[in-house]
Amino acid sequence: MAMDQATKAQLAEFLENAELEAREVVKITDEHPDLTLTEAYEINDLIRDRKLARGTKQVGYKMGLTSKAKMDQMGVNRPGFGYLFDYFAIPDGGEIKTAELIHPKVEPEIAVVLKTALKGPGCTIADVFAAIDFILPAMEVIDSRYENFRFDLVSVIADNSSSSRFVTGGQSATVDQVDMKTMGVVMEINGEVVALGAGAAVIGHPANAVAMLANSLAEKGEEVPAGSFIMTGALTAAHAVKPGDSVTVSYQGLGSISARVV
Ligand code: OOG
Ligand code: MG
């Protein structure tokens, strides 16, 4: 039976409170095993509405589970998207504050900022190249609200795809200056290499993930607005961090970004 609006609103409140209070909860499909993907996105939209109503600003989008490494790590077989809000942003060299989070993990990503809107359906990689203003290095801090990061596709989609914080800044480049597909990325925690990959790990090319976002939003009549910051998804598995850790991600042709965990 389809989920009624009141239950969706109640689940949105449940998940958003868990995020705001840094408290882990059981995955929502334990109680609602028939939750559909469409309903999960509706719950996440209600979380967005709650934040916007409070004056929080949406600054962009994230694609999640776009690499085989991430799908294998999380046991999920297709990508999804989530929203990024103003208070998620941590400047390059800034602090990941564990007191505000549940069980944070970091992952290296390639991000883009659009100069023009992208509208699906039928958005292609060529449209994405034409719309990109610049490419930025990014580190996502994911923090599933579910115990032990154990979830299924619909539960994680309803939980804004584990979105929590992101670090970006450093050096930018245009699409002519770097090759996002072959771009090498190295993530180090306390000086030790913990993950490495190349842009192609993200469904063949990070720009494909941006096209997928535009085409997914089109299904509900939305576009990706000009100026959006978009994280294309982790290139590698995510790594847990703890206070005292220092994380650096280095990019071929894009410098590096770092953060301290406190
Ligand atoms: C879901 C979010 C995945 C990515 O980049 O693949 C994600 C999770 O792993 O908790 O952000
Ligand atoms: Mg991510």
Side-chain angles (χ1 to χ4, degrees):
M1 203 180 70
M3 182 175 278
D4 60 47
Q5 204 54 31
T7 309
K8 283 180 217 160
Q10 182 209 322
L11 288 170
E13 182 178 5
F14 172 75
L15 289 171
E16 206 218 359
N17 283 345
E19 183 233 343
L20 297 175
E21 294 161 20
R23 194 166 38 74
E24 62 181 12
V25 293
V26 293
K27 69 176 180 349
I28 59 175
T29 45
D30 285 1
E31 224 183 295
H32 302 278
D34 301 328
L35 184 73
T36 66
L37 191 59
T38 305
E39 289 163 348
Y41 276 116
E42 285 166 1
I43 293 168
N44 192 38
D45 281 356
L46 291 171
I47 293 176
R48 172 167 68 171
D49 292 347
R50 294 173 64 85
K51 293 190 188 300
L52 297 181
R54 234 179 265 128
T56 301
K57 191 170 161 233
Q58 185 183 343
V59 296
Y61 299 83
K62 57 112 25 117
M63 287 299 291
L65 304 163
T66 45
S67 64
K68 187 172 181 313
K70 282 290 306 188
M71 288 192 240
D72 288 351
Q73 183 181 29
M74 307 321 296
V76 165
N77 63 6
R78 56 175 281 190
F81 68 85
Y83 305 123
L84 301 175
F85 299 99
D86 50 9
Y87 67 94
F88 290 7
I90 297 174
D92 180 22
E95 293 179 345
I96 298 170
K97 297 184 174 130
T98 53
E100 299 173 357
L101 307 170
I102 305 164
H103 41 204
K105 291 186 185 180
V106 292
E107 47 186 34
E109 306 211 7
I110 295 170
V112 303
V113 174
L114 300 185
K115 59 182 172 224
T116 52
L118 277 174
K119 200 166 167 47
C123 177
T124 67
I125 190 167
D127 298 322
V128 175
F129 268 66
I132 290 175
D133 195 356
F134 52 89
I135 300 157
L136 278 178
M139 179 197 308
E140 182 170 27
V141 182
I142 50 168
D143 196 32
S144 173
R145 268 53 71 172
Y146 301 123
E147 293 169 343
N148 301 316
F149 268 86
R150 263 208 306 270
F151 49 67
D152 42 45
L153 180 68
V154 290
S155 296
V156 70
I157 295 295
D159 182 31
N160 198 21
S161 291
S162 308
S163 298
S164 170
R165 298 288 184 271
F166 62 84
V167 181
T168 191
Q171 205 176 313
S172 65
T174 63
V175 289
D176 312 321
Q177 289 169 330
V178 292
D179 177 5
M180 280 191 277
K181 178 173 176 172
T182 58
M183 183 186 288
V185 177
V186 178
M187 185 164 75
E188 288 161 278
I189 300 183
N190 304 328
E192 190 190 323
V193 175
V194 293
L196 44 110
V202 174
I203 51 173
H205 195 301
N208 283 329
V210 180
M212 189 182 264
L213 172 67
N215 292 326
S216 301
L217 288 178
E219 287 174 22
K220 51 191 188 112
E222 291 177 26
E223 60 177 27
V224 194
S228 294
F229 169 74
I230 304 158
M231 288 199 297
T232 58
L235 306 162
T236 73
H239 285 261
V241 287
K242 55 178 189 322
D245 285 347
S246 150
V247 191
T248 302
V249 189
S250 304
Y251 294 77
Q252 187 179 16
L254 263 188
S256 64
I257 50 171
S258 64
R260 280 175 304 117
V261 186
V262 298

